[in-house]
Amino acid sequence: MKLQNFIILIIAQLVMGFNDNFTEKELWIEQKLDHFDENETRTWQMRYSESDTFYKPGGPILINVNGEWPLAVKSELCGMFYELVEKFNAYAFQTEHRYYGKSHPVQNLTTENLQYLTMKQALADLAHFVRHQKSSVPGLANSKVIILGCSYAGSIVTYFRKDYPELIDGGWSSCAGLYYRLDYSDALVSVGKSIRKIGGDVCYDQVNHFTKAYLKHKKANDETYTLLQQLNLTVEYNNMDETIATHVQHRNISMFQKICSNITAVDSNDIVEFGLVLQHLRSKIPEVGNKDDIEFSEDHSTRQYFYQTCNEFGNFQSTSSQHQPFGNRKPFSSLIAQCKKEFGPKFTIDYINKKVDEINALYGGTQPNVDHIYFTKAEDDPWRWAGIVDECATVIPGIAHCHDLRARSPNDPPALAAAKQKGFELIESWINGGGTTRETLTKC
Ligand SMILES: *[C@@H]1O[C@H](CO)[C@@H](O)[C@H](O)[C@H]1NC(C)=O
Ligand SMILES: *[C@@H]1O[C@H](CO)[C@@H](O)[C@H](O)[C@H]1NC(C)=O
Ligand SMILES: *[C@@H]1O[C@H](CO)[C@@H](O)[C@H](O)[C@H]1NC(C)=O
Ligand SMILES: *[C@@H]1O[C@H](CO)[C@@H](O)[C@H](O)[C@H]1NC(C)=O
Ligand SMILES: *[C@@H]1O[C@H](CO)[C@@H](O)[C@H](O)[C@H]1NC(C)=O
Ligand SMILES: *[C@@H]1O[C@H](CO)[C@@H](O)[C@H](O)[C@H]1NC(C)=O
């Protein structure tokens, strides 16, 4: 069974047509395997990118932090980063998270080897990175440091300000998960609501209808089910929640409306045709590996992220609620049981519960109480309900997960344009040493 991983970003394949003069160098920095054990002397090479194309002496350091995906230079997903670099004549870096992309602290992904994959270690990697660049690149010693990140990387930006406030003057945390619980069934409830809101009752009802029809044929193991098996469509139906949720999370409203047109165009008796629509939709999602892949592969992240889910984050996106259109095909108990299966007997529900409580107690959950961070959320993003309280964020309608960190465009709806503008202005004030206005001091 492939694992639910709809948190994972759709990686932009296209290199954007940003300023051609801009060059980003791929470089490596030595990091400790374990920052918290003085007796552990092993080290590894972390990948990052660097650019001084727009840098002018006195300019700030701008870092785009990556999360559970490979570092991608000139990706349209971080268009805002490039705009900020140019506008503020910044020295630019992007960092890759340990265990993802090409940043391999260990040889493979056995449970034993995964023990150094923790958010605390990743935060310490970033701290060493900032200290190292400030001390080794001439002129950067006193530069202001601004850090951007979205999704899991947005959580890192937030916690970096809490754990290492002396190393970051301001940050933009987009669509970050900050509240951890065991059963995050609200994610698929939210997906259902978004389907209804964007595609109408007719789209929601159609998804619900084919869920029921499929589960009925599967249970009966009848001719229709055999036909679906022969056509390789059972895999599409089994992954249906993840496929549709991924599109809800990552596509803007007009794209998802088109998807709903395809969904609703299918005759309600044509279970094969609906399977083909699902197949088409799944083909648009990048392959990010399986939870049992022991070997590293640059664009595989499922196993690593699943480990973090079992060891730190919880937030299992179960189908435990009835208020969603995918049936109860992924009950919470079956999802959590996979932690033990993949990583060993230690990963019981009690263990995960304890870890989730710890991280909430440490960082404050939906109220992290941190200053100099600009929080944005996407209104229809299933991760909204694991984020900071809405009152402390700019909640942007009409966009998908992380889209506020794309470049500004004349097509941006007014609320999106205003949210981006606010981010620009806050960053400008932090670069200029601001921090006394109410906006920048607000702690949430
Ligand atoms: C690239 O650099 C050249 C030479 O400095 C300059 O003339 C040109 O305007 C730059 N292009 C852009 C898009 O900034
Ligand atoms: C490191 O080794 C020393 C000497 O063997 C020991 O006293 C100390 O407790 C060790 N530290 C850790 C964090 O294990
Ligand atoms: C995983 O890596 C370790 C070294 O860290 C090695 O001893 C072990 O054989 C590897 N296991 C697999 C299944 O490749
Ligand atoms: C189903 O998948 C198998 C294995 O990937 C492949 O060999 C077969 O041709 C596929 N069948 C159809 C009808 O696509
Ligand atoms: C929505 O996404 C599509 C495909 O990525 C893009 O062509 C379109 O411009 C986007 N619309 C808005 C309003 O951003
Ligand atoms: C709708 O379905 C058609 C035919 O399969 C496909 O070409 C098109 O890309 C689909 N549209 C979307 C938004 O997925």
Side-chain angles (χ1 to χ4, degrees):
M1 186 177 120
K2 214 165 129 21
L3 221 261
Q4 41 121 23
N5 54 25
F6 69 79
I7 178 165
I8 288 169
L9 285 171
I10 292 184
I11 306 299
Q13 308 292 340
L14 287 173
V15 170
M16 57 180 218
F18 180 69
N19 193 326
D20 287 337
N21 293 347
F22 187 78
T23 54
E24 263 176 303
K25 271 183 290 185
E26 182 183 274
L27 296 168
W28 304 83
I29 180 175
E30 185 169 72
Q31 292 279 8
K32 291 189 72 172
L33 179 60
D34 187 342
H35 293 278
F36 307 105
D37 180 354
E38 55 187 323
N39 297 333
E40 173 58 76
T41 55
R42 282 176 289 174
T43 59
W44 57 284
Q45 298 291 320
M46 182 179 107
R47 180 164 67 156
Y48 69 100
S49 75
E50 179 188 273
S51 174
D52 62 0
T53 303
F54 292 116
Y55 176 67
K56 291 202 181 125
I61 296 169
L62 212 71
I63 303 174
N64 186 50
V65 173
N66 287 266
E68 75 283 17
W69 54 85
L71 187 158
V73 299
K74 291 206 176 180
S75 163
E76 65 173 18
L77 297 179
C78 41
M80 178 58 72
F81 167 70
Y82 295 109
E83 283 194 31
L84 291 163
V85 167
E86 183 167 11
K87 159 101 184 178
F88 296 115
N89 298 120
Y91 207 98
F93 297 106
Q94 293 203 61
T95 55
E96 190 166 70
H97 191 294
R98 59 165 61 201
Y99 285 84
Y100 296 99
K102 288 185 171 175
S103 293
H104 303 166
V106 290
Q107 199 178 316
N108 58 40
L109 300 169
T110 58
T111 305
E112 165 82 12
N113 275 345
L114 280 164
Q115 64 179 299
Y116 307 103
L117 173 54
T118 66
M119 191 163 58
K120 276 278 183 199
Q121 298 283 4
L123 286 161
D125 289 339
L126 187 56
H128 172 67
F129 182 84
V130 174
R131 287 193 192 106
H132 175 81
Q133 301 301 351
K134 282 192 139 189
S135 64
S136 63
V137 180
L140 294 186
N142 298 312
S143 292
K144 291 282 195 289
V145 179
I146 305 295
I147 310 188
L148 272 55
C150 80
S151 201
Y152 170 40
S155 321
I156 289 180
V157 169
T158 308
Y159 302 145
F160 196 68
R161 176 72 189 167
K162 277 187 88 79
D163 286 357
Y164 303 95
E166 73 283 9
L167 295 178
I168 166 175
D169 298 282
W172 187 329
S173 169
S174 165
C175 301
L178 299 170
Y179 178 55
Y180 307 89
R181 64 200 122 186
L182 288 176
D183 188 355
Y184 187 30
S185 57
D186 281 354
L188 287 172
V189 174
S190 173
V191 167
K193 281 187 184 154
S194 299
I195 294 172
R196 205 187 276 288
K197 184 173 139 191
I198 300 167
D201 289 351
V202 56
C203 190
Y204 183 99
D205 292 346
Q206 183 87 326
V207 173
N208 197 34
H209 163 75
F210 279 110
T211 292
K212 290 209 171 105
Y214 172 71
L215 292 176
K216 197 181 98 214
H217 291 300
K218 185 178 181 181
K219 194 165 176 213
N221 199 8
D222 57 12
E223 275 175 29
T224 304
Y225 186 68
T226 307
L227 175 66
L228 291 173
Q229 275 179 318
Q230 283 164 355
L231 296 171
N232 286 344
L233 293 178
T234 50
V235 59
E236 305 306 337
Y237 276 100
N238 290 335
N239 285 307
M240 170 174 169
D241 55 332
E242 184 178 324
T243 301
I244 293 180
T246 301
H247 284 277
V248 168
Q249 179 171 324
H250 294 287
R251 301 297 184 198
N252 62 31
I253 284 191
S254 55
M255 273 302 286
F256 197 74
Q257 275 166 344
K258 286 189 188 136
I259 289 167
C260 266
S261 311
N262 277 9
I263 285 174
T264 55
V266 179
D267 183 293
S268 63
N269 293 315
D270 200 343
I271 197 161
V272 168
E273 181 62 24
F274 192 78
L276 292 172
V277 170
L278 292 173
Q279 193 171 57
H280 170 76
L281 290 176
R282 201 162 70 101
S283 72
K284 303 285 175 203
I285 300 172
E287 184 56 61
V288 289
N290 296 303
K291 66 186 187 318
D292 54 1
D293 292 338
I294 298 287
E295 297 305 324
F296 276 108
S297 170
E298 184 176 356
D299 50 7
H300 283 189
S301 50
T302 297
R303 180 171 174 84
Q304 299 95 304
Y305 196 76
F306 187 54
Y307 177 80
Q308 293 198 273
T309 302
C310 296
N311 193 50
E312 295 188 274
F313 304 151
N315 279 342
F316 294 88
Q317 293 138 21
S318 79
T319 51
S320 303
S321 168
Q322 308 225 319
H323 303 285
Q324 45 81 22
F326 303 105
N328 194 7
R329 71 181 83 203
K330 286 178 187 165
F332 169 66
S333 56
S334 78
L335 290 179
I336 208 159
Q338 302 216 1
C339 292
K340 264 203 236 177
K341 181 168 169 281
E342 288 305 328
F343 305 118
K346 179 175 108 179
F347 295 86
T348 60
I349 189 164
D350 288 343
Y351 173 81
I352 304 168
N353 199 23
K354 189 169 141 276
K355 300 289 276 198
V356 165
D357 284 349
E358 272 172 23
I359 191 171
N360 283 326
L362 186 60
Y363 288 121
T366 58
Q367 299 184 56
N369 192 29
V370 63
D371 64 3
H372 286 224
I373 300 290
Y374 177 46
F375 290 99
T376 51
K377 296 170 84 174
E379 191 176 73
D380 296 311
D381 181 0
W383 285 98
R384 178 175 171 192
W385 313 107
I388 195 167
V389 287
D390 280 0
E391 298 74 55
C392 296
T394 299
V395 182
I396 310 165
I399 63 159
H401 199 61
C402 298
H403 283 203
D404 55 300
L405 286 182
R406 296 185 176 197
R408 293 201 272 194
S409 147
N411 297 333
D412 285 349
L416 176 59
K420 288 179 176 177
Q421 181 59 25
K422 184 172 170 185
F424 251 84
E425 285 167 12
L426 284 170
I427 286 173
E428 184 159 37
S429 78
W430 293 323
I431 289 171
N432 293 329
T436 52
T437 66
R438 193 179 149 355
E439 191 74 76
T440 55
L441 272 183
T442 300
K443 289 197 172 201
C444 272

